[in-house]
Each structure stands twice: as C-alpha cells, then as structure tokens.
Amino acid sequence: MATVHAESEAPIGAGIHASLPQATQATPTPPRGLSDAQARQRLSLIGPNEVGDTEKRGLARTLRGVFTEPMFLLLLAAAAIYLLLGDLGEGLLLAFFAVVTVGLVVMQERRSEHALAALRTLSAPQVRVVRDGRMVRIPARELVPGDIFMVGEGERVAADGIVREAVGLQVDESLLTGESVPVDKRVWQVQDGLAMASPESNASAFVYASTLAVTGHAVIEAVATGSGTQVGRIGASLAAIETVPTPLEQHLRRLVRAFGLAAAGICAVIVVVYGLVQGDWMQGLLSAVAIGMAMLPEEFPMALAVFLSLGAWRLARIKVLARRPAVIEALGAATVLCVDKTGTLTENRMQLSRLVTDEMEVELDAGKDLPEAVRRLLEFGMLASRRDGSDPMDRALIARGDALLAGTAHLHPDWTLTREFPLSPELLAMSHEWTDAAGQLCVAAKGAPEAVFDLCHLDPQRSADLLVRVKHLAGQGLRVLAVAEGRSPRGETVVRQHDHDFTLLGLAAFEDPLRDSVPDAVAQARQAGIAVVMVTGDHAATALAIAAQAGLDVRAGVLTGADIAALGEADLARAVRHVRVFARVMPEHKLRLVLALRSNGETVAMTGDGVNDAPALKAAHVGIAMGIRGTDVAREAAGLVLLDEDFGRIVGGVRMGRRIFDNLRKVMTYITAIHVPVAGLALLPLLFGLPPLMLPVHVVLTEMVIDPVCSLAFEGAAEAPGLMQRPPRRTDDGIVGWSMLWQGLAQGSCLLAATLGLYMLALRAGRDADVARTLAVVGLTFGNLMLVAANMALGSGLRALSDRSARAFWAVATVAASALAIAVLVPGPRRLLHFGVPVAQDLVLALVAVALAVGAGITWSGRLRSASAAKLPS
C-alpha cells in the first residue's frame, strides 16, 4: 500500500481515496492486521510515520550560531589585529583559542541535543496496533499504511485512515478545517462488494493524523503516514519557522545585550582616548577588544540552555518527563501536590476480591469454585466491561470472569455488542447492549452504586440500606461498583440508559493495594513543607481509608464533589486550607480545587489523565499527566508526564527540581562574580594610566576555565544537604534577580580589589610590567577556581568538593593550573602571553591575598543573601 503524495490543493480525503486499492475497498480488513515482517518491509520502503523534526539542531546550525556570537567575533578581530601587526605567534594563538571555543560550544550543544533527543524518544506518541492477530503498543513512528490501529477517547489519530469499526466516535478536526465542532465518524461502507467512495457516502469514514478523538473509540486502517498525511504536508511548511524563546531566555538575552551595548560604548571611548593621548591606536584597539570580551556575560544563555535540557534529561532518568523544560523551575517551588489515588498512590492493579448479593458475600479465590448465586453478577459485570479497554476494573472483571466462568454458559463469545452507553458526568454508570444468538437484546450496566441504584429505581430505604453496606466495604479500602441486568422495553434499542428496565444483581468490590513507596514519599513531602492532597472519584470511605494508609492528614475529613459544587469560591478557598482528601470528584471539580488553592497563594502541582482533566492541568502551576493511562490531551496540557505513575516519582521530581534550581542559581552568581574582576582588570589600569593588564589572550584563557565550569562542574554538582527539609522557595524568588546579582558583585569586587592591588603594588615595588601582569593573572585564575569551589560548596560545606559529582571541577582545575604553569615556566608561551617569572615569595603573597579576598567576598555575599531572604514576604 503506497503512501499518499497528493497535491496540496486536493480536498481533504482525496489522497486517501487514491491510495485505497480495489482489494481493500471491496472487503473489510481482517482482524489479524499486518505481520511483523510486512510492517518492517513497508517501514523500510516508505519511511517512519513522522514529519521532519524542526527542533533538532544539526552541526551546521550550531556552527552558524557560534560564528555569529559577539565573543567569537571579538576573538577573530583580536587575532586579525595581531596578524596585521606582524605578531604571528599571538595571532595564531588567538586563532587556536577560537577553534577551542568553537569546540567547547559544539560539545555543550551536542550534549544538550543528545539529552533532548533522549527525551524526544521517551515522549514519542504510542499507538495500539494489531500485528499478527495480537494487539500491541508501538511507537507511532513505526506505523505503516495497511496497519490496523485503535483510537480511543482523548487520543490523537496516528495516521490518515479509514474507519473499520466505531462506537460513538467523534473527532475534533479543527487542526485541519478550523471548525471547532467535533465531527461524527462512521464505518467505511461497501455496497455490492465495492466501496462507496463518493463524498456523500463515505466522507465521514475518513480520519486524519493528529486530529483528536473527543468521544468513543474505533478501529482504523492506516492508508497514509508521515509526510503523506494531510497534516504532514502542512508540517513540511513549518521547517523554516524558528522556535520562540521563553520569557526567561528573552530576559537573559536582554541582559547580555545590555552588557554588550555598555561594553561597545566603553570600547569606543577607550580606543579614542588611548589613540589620542598615547598615539597608539592599535594598542587601544586591542585593549578595547579585551574589555569587550571581558564585559560580555555570554555564558548566561548557554548555562540556562544546558541546565534546563540536561535537567530535563536527569528528570527523565527518574521517570519524570518534562515536556517543557521551563516547568522545572516551578516544580521545585511546589507547595501542594494534588494527586489521583488510583495508579499514583496505589499500584493500579485492580483485583476483583468480593462479590456481594442480598443472599451472600463471596471472597474470591482462584482455587475455589464460584457459587452459582453470584455467577450471574460476575457474568453481567463482564458484559458491562470492554475487553480491549484500558480501565483497570474492566480488565479485572474480564480476567476473573474468564478464569472463574470458564466452561459454563455464563460466557457469551457469540453475542454481538450493538450499542454502548458511556459514563457521563450526569450519570456515573455505563451500559452495554448485546444481541444474543436468538436476536434478543440484553443490557448490562455497572458503575457507582448510587448511579446504578438510580437506574434500577430502588426505593429510598432500600438504597439507604445498600449504601450502608457499600460504606462498610469502602471503609476497608475497597472500591465498589454495582452491577445490574437490563431489558429493553418491547425488545427495541433505546436512546438513554434510563429507558431500560434494570434489575440490581449486586456489588463487585475491588482491591488496589497502596504502593510500598508511598508512605515514605508522603513523609518526605511533609518534611519539605509540601502538602499532599488526594483527589479521587472513589467513595468517600474508600478515599479516607487509603489516605490514612498513605500517611495523609485525614483529621479534617473528606469533601465530596457535591460538597465542592455547593460551596462558593470564598468558602472553598477556606476549606482547602485544611481538607486533604476529596472524593467522588469530577474533572470540573478539579479545576475549582486548583483555582481555590491558587487563590490561597499556593504553588500547585496537579495530576490528571482524562480529556476533561486538561483544564485543571493547564491551570495548575505544574500539570502532571499519567504516561501509561493518560490521554494525549492530558499529556499535551501538562508540563510533566509520569512515565511509571508512581507518587514517589513526583516527590523525586520535586527533589530534582530543587537541586537543578539551586545549581542554576549558583552558576548565575558565579558568572556575575567572575566577570567583575575580568572586566575591571581590563579597564581600570587604562583609566589609571597604568600599562595594560588584560590583553585579549588573557581574557580568552579565563574564558577557557569559565565555560566548562559552567556546563560541567555546576550542572553536575550534588544536592545540598537538607534540600528536602527546607520549605519551598517563594515564587517571587526567580533564577535571575537583583539578590543574585548583588551577591555576584560582592564576590567579584573582592577578587578585583585583590588582583588589581597585586598589580599596582608589584609595579610600585619596581617589578617588571610582565611580572606584575603574571602575579595578577595567577591570582585571578586561583581566585576564579576558589569562586567555583566556594559557590559549589554553598549550603553543602567543603565535603561537596570531595563528592563524585565534583570530579569535573577538579579536572578543569588541574588543566587550568597546568596550562598556567606552562605559560609561566616555558619561555615560548611566556613570551606570547607577555608573562614574566615572579619570585616565590611574591607568588605566595599573591595566593594568600586572593584567598583572603575571596573568603571576604563569600562572607559578604552570604550576608546579602540572608538580608534579601529576610525582606521577602512569607
């Protein structure tokens, strides 16, 4: 089967019609689907089911970005000036440094890109497909024309195709048509053995890749994939569109641009003044280039990009997928975690444990026969469940029923499902209408006990007595459904569930054990100052029982969805300050809970998996979708996706988010700090009428330390002790703020004072300018490494430098010290760098002075940090 290659002007569906061979049009596709061998052959012939990834940055694009960076251009300008002056050695040295700079940037970009590529693989959409008669889940990119795949409510359609089977399928095609009203889909029709392919007869049998199934479910035959789909043609036109930077990235770029403009102005003044006063225009130009390079904090955007991309990769390693890396910042500030019970706090392996009728209550045991009195209850529970569904209770009923009813007349493989009545917010029950071998209609219903009692029109006293029994079961942590048998009046299909005549058969109770990791994770969250809130659709007694097992605060009781609906905004905001368990909650109630918590000033993380959970996920500061049972809509609305849906992963994500934020703040402070002495040593000697201290080559040498330290040492630094014992940080305490800048200025100013003082004292003591320069540059390098060590150890103590995560720092420090020693001791490099050989006494004095200055700077910045924290509102 060939992929469609229709012209862009062709109407929607035209390409699909063209791609259907006569054999496919004449007969329905058999349920076996393609074989694995056929699928592999078609995949190699047609290619993967994906449109070109515009987010990937190839090597050429990376190099193009490097070559337009101001720092690289300044470096080339300095090299060109030296070559024009006939100083071949220094010109080639700077050219070499330019190549090294490119290499460092490419390494950082590739490292980030590899991390993002790993994330893209993890976040790739999955599709349920029939291969060799078995339904399996595969990456959507491996889907090929001819495959039979499933689409359910809340899922994206994986390829253009035709509908082979459908139950209540409605698809949102606004992506292609702009029409917001969902489109009803029906099964591909044939007449007299041929497909009815006219637009009037079969237009509604086509579905298109990337459109969204709003309700219902269907079996689809893929006829076009990848660039051959309707959306693929649109996607091809997006390749030239650049991704818009985030507000934080824009803020940092503005900051760098402001420094760049200031540097340009100072450079221009230096060139003119130096040329006019001393008549040495070339030296003035070199000094200006050095000042420009020293004042550009181009590491800010690079550090942010590296930290966020690698931070997202680190989160993925603990099974938390960050769809938007910027959400990492909010994750570490979360004050409330609103989580589902099923699958998050519990193991989501529902097991049918009891069947309850008026006459008896039966504990199910695989080794015992099922009493006849409850077989009909189990039979109709199975009939009200979907065999191919993802609902854990459906799977539990089917599994138990197949095992316990095998060989009896209570299984009906020859019955035909003729209609489904899905669960709705108005009625928390679902029904299946079946046609038996004799053509008679039979209806099976299951759902929340209150809803099924309503369907059965039980009198109030009978309902009240049964609800007491339900509450008793729920109080044991069991989830309870009621099951009913129905008949259609006059044996005809009806429009509403309530139109059937239902008879209650009994109750089915399921157990879903609490995850072993949950109590410890809840305790960790409490220590971290984070409130854990459970939100579930279960009975209130079940919710309270599980919450107590998990270690949640249940002293304030439980609020139900009906309670939430009855409360006003102000009353609900007051209630959520204390209540930690919410039961019988619908998706619209989740949104109100998020808004109420936000109105109290909380930073909210909310989990969800359904289509209707999307508004709450969007409204939360951190939306968390379920990766296994979650719908595509929920995943698209959320910032995070749990890959194995364990509550412990959320707490682990908070821990990782705090660590990433801490380290990013440290590196931002360090970048600010180190640029103060570098810029000051390049500018101030000229203003004081002293010989130039920092030449372009010295600035580049310093940058050779700064860049790898930012992307390797700080990014991999271990978490601070007590990270999860401190309260969440305030939301107004951002990554880049005045507090951080002042701390960096304090540290950098002390290092500048020490190194400039060394230079001036050496000159006054009669030392050669090259020797004085050497003392200042050695002091700057030593102070630079001390700043890195001090900021890495901030909050952790010196033991942070002995941790395995500090290996990158020690590697960079060793290389920097070795390079500086060679530059001072070897005559060739010494001449190129305009260095001299200082006496040991001067060198020791320089190192001691710098160490004292850095210590003073760290102390000063610590006081500024404490003062800033004290001023922030609680």
Side-chain angles (χ1 to χ4, degrees), residues 368-380:
K368 295 182 180 179
D369 290 334
L370 191 66
E372 186 66 35
V374 294
R375 287 188 176 184
R376 192 162 186 81
L377 167 58
L378 181 55
E379 170 191 351
F380 274 79

Side-chain angles (χ1 to χ4, degrees), residues 754 758 844-854:
L758 284 171
V844 170
L845 180 63
L847 296 179
V848 171
V850 166
L852 292 174
V854 171

Side-chain angles (χ1 to χ4, degrees), residues 47 147 293 337 341 358 385 448 463 492 562 564 639 648 656 693 737 859:
D147 261 326
M293 294 168 68
L337 300 180
K341 177 186 76 68
D358 288 336
S385 305
S463 294
E492 299 175 353
I564 295 171
M656 185 61 71
L693 196 166
T859 303

